[in-house]
Amino acid sequence: MFFFQEGFTYRNFLLDVLTIFFFVVWFWLIITVASDLFRRHDVSGWVKAIWVIGWIIFPFIFMLAYLILHGRGMAERNLQRAQQARDELRSVVGFSIADEIEKLGRLKQAGSISDAEFARLRARLVQ
């Protein structure tokens, strides 16, 4: 505690900034992991309750355990959610690949994009 007896120093400022950084990262992890857990449909309510109780009793151990055990699955579920949101947005907006390729063709004819850019963008759309 002798750091804080010095008053406001650069070292105390850095410690405060570092503490705030870890505090923010901790809350970000809690929100990310909890949102992943509660969005899952393959886990029962009892298992979710056990994870939450574990986070309350041993927060660091259970948070790291969840990240280690389910980290890959979290990434895959986030990717699936992003793809689903993108597809829903495209259906609402009326996005069609044929329309976009037609727009690219007009840009190519106007000279706005080169043949290489046209081929790259067209391949990206077809994927």
Side-chain angles (χ1 to χ4, degrees):
M1 287 300 196
F2 56 87
F3 286 120
F4 301 108
Q5 293 174 355
E6 300 172 1
F8 186 75
T9 62
Y10 186 68
R11 178 174 46 187
N12 287 342
F13 173 74
L14 286 179
L15 285 173
D16 289 344
V17 169
L18 193 64
T19 303
I20 291 170
F21 171 75
F22 283 120
F23 191 70
V24 169
V25 168
W26 176 250
F27 273 107
W28 173 73
L29 275 174
I30 288 173
I31 291 168
T32 302
V33 170
S35 67
D36 180 69
L37 179 68
F38 290 117
R39 287 181 185 166
R40 292 179 67 177
H41 299 292
D42 60 333
V43 175
S44 71
W46 289 104
V47 174
K48 291 177 184 179
I50 291 170
W51 275 109
V52 171
I53 291 169
W55 288 335
I56 292 170
I57 296 173
F58 301 109
F60 292 109
I61 294 171
F62 272 75
M63 188 68 64
L64 290 175
Y66 189 88
L67 289 173
I68 291 169
L69 296 174
H70 301 285
R72 184 178 305 255
M74 285 176 62
E76 291 170 0
R77 285 186 291 277
N78 283 337
L79 185 63
Q80 288 173 355
R81 277 188 220 110
Q83 182 66 36
Q84 182 182 8
R86 196 176 308 119
D87 292 342
E88 288 174 4
L89 180 63
R90 286 180 177 169
S91 69
V92 168
V93 172
F95 174 84
S96 82
I97 295 174
D99 292 337
E100 293 300 315
I101 292 174
E102 182 183 336
K103 290 176 189 177
L104 284 175
R106 283 184 277 171
L107 286 172
K108 180 182 167 190
Q109 287 176 350
S112 298
I113 60 174
S114 67
D115 291 337
E117 288 174 320
F118 175 78
R120 181 179 56 81
L121 292 171
R122 186 176 185 282
R124 196 163 124 197
L125 281 172
V126 173
Q127 270 184 347

Coordinates of all heavy atoms in Angstrom, one line a residue, residues 104-113:
L104 N -21.8 -4.6 -61.3 CA -20.4 -4.7 -61.5 C -20.1 -4.6 -63.0 O -19.1 -4.0 -63.4 CB -19.9 -6.0 -60.9 CG -19.6 -6.1 -59.4 CD1 -19.2 -7.5 -59.0 CD2 -18.6 -5.1 -59.0
G105 N -21.0 -5.3 -63.8 CA -20.8 -5.2 -65.3 C -20.9 -3.8 -65.8 O -20.1 -3.4 -66.7
R106 N -21.8 -3.0 -65.3 CA -22.0 -1.6 -65.7 C -20.8 -0.8 -65.3 O -20.3 0.1 -66.0 CB -23.2 -1.0 -65.1 CG -24.5 -1.4 -65.9 CD -25.7 -0.8 -65.4 NE -26.1 -1.6 -64.2 CZ -27.1 -1.2 -63.4 NH1 -27.7 -0.1 -63.5 NH2 -27.4 -2.0 -62.4
L107 N -20.2 -1.1 -64.1 CA -19.0 -0.4 -63.6 C -17.8 -0.7 -64.5 O -17.0 0.2 -64.8 CB -18.7 -0.7 -62.1 CG -19.6 -0.1 -61.1 CD1 -19.3 -0.7 -59.7 CD2 -19.4 1.4 -61.1
K108 N -17.8 -2.0 -64.9 CA -16.6 -2.4 -65.8 C -16.8 -1.7 -67.1 O -15.8 -1.2 -67.7 CB -16.7 -3.9 -65.9 CG -15.6 -4.4 -66.8 CD -15.7 -5.9 -66.9 CE -14.8 -6.5 -68.0 NZ -15.1 -7.9 -68.3
Q109 N -18.0 -1.7 -67.7 CA -18.2 -1.0 -69.0 C -17.9 0.5 -68.9 O -17.4 1.1 -69.9 CB -19.6 -1.2 -69.5 CG -19.9 -2.6 -70.0 CD -21.3 -2.9 -70.4 OE1 -22.2 -2.0 -70.1 NE2 -21.6 -4.0 -71.0
A110 N -18.2 1.1 -67.8 CA -18.0 2.5 -67.7 C -16.5 2.8 -67.4 O -16.1 4.0 -67.5 CB -18.8 3.1 -66.5
G111 N -15.7 1.8 -67.1 CA -14.3 2.0 -66.9 C -13.9 2.3 -65.5 O -12.8 2.7 -65.2
S112 N -14.9 2.2 -64.6 CA -14.7 2.5 -63.1 C -13.8 1.5 -62.5 O -13.1 1.8 -61.5 CB -16.0 2.7 -62.4 OG -16.7 3.7 -62.9
I113 N -14.0 0.2 -62.9 CA -13.2 -0.9 -62.3 C -12.5 -1.6 -63.5 O -13.0 -1.7 -64.6 CB -14.0 -1.8 -61.5 CG1 -15.1 -2.5 -62.3 CG2 -14.6 -1.1 -60.2 CD1 -15.9 -3.5 -61.5

